[in-house]
Amino acid sequence: MAVTGIGGLFFRSKDPKTLADWYVKHLGVGPTEDNPWIWPQQAGPTVFAPFKADSDYFPADRQWMINFRVDDLDGLIASLTAAGIKVLTKAEWDAPEVGRFARIHDPEGNPIELWEPAAE
């Protein structure tokens, strides 16, 4: 018997409806009209990696950072920037064998990593 994947991500929010709407609008992450609880997504690699408590990989005041796989990082960056969302990229985050990365924060300050996996 084994776990077959991540079934959900649950976190606290000051305004759950507004935050959920932000994720749908800017990232396409969230439920569909057909099912108000389920976000259908593509199969693909998922990293599960606890970090040291003093890691600087994401903000020290946060216990988690979500990473979303994307298929067009440049297009998403353009869309986010046009919406006034600050996007951070660093050349040292990118690796030809792994892919390209960008970072944003949601309206409540939660860190989000965007990852365009390397072409297979």
Side-chain angles (χ1 to χ4, degrees), residues 14-88:
K14 295 172 189 154
D15 184 349
K17 172 74 170 108
T18 299
L19 192 59
D21 290 348
W22 183 90
Y23 274 88
V24 169
K25 178 179 179 180
H26 296 291
L27 300 174
V29 173
T32 64
E33 289 182 15
D34 296 335
N35 190 321
W37 291 101
I38 303 296
W39 165 44
Q41 55 186 301
Q42 296 177 358
T46 299
V47 175
F48 182 81
F51 282 73
K52 288 184 170 188
D54 62 352
S55 172
D56 63 357
Y57 193 69
F58 52 91
D61 66 336
R62 301 296 169 158
Q63 291 292 73
W64 60 274
M65 176 176 67
I66 192 161
N67 172 298
F68 290 122
R69 285 187 313 271
V70 304
D71 62 5
D72 178 8
L73 185 59
D74 292 329
L76 184 54
I77 288 171
S79 174
L80 294 167
T81 301
I85 297 168
K86 183 179 176 184
V87 179
L88 180 62

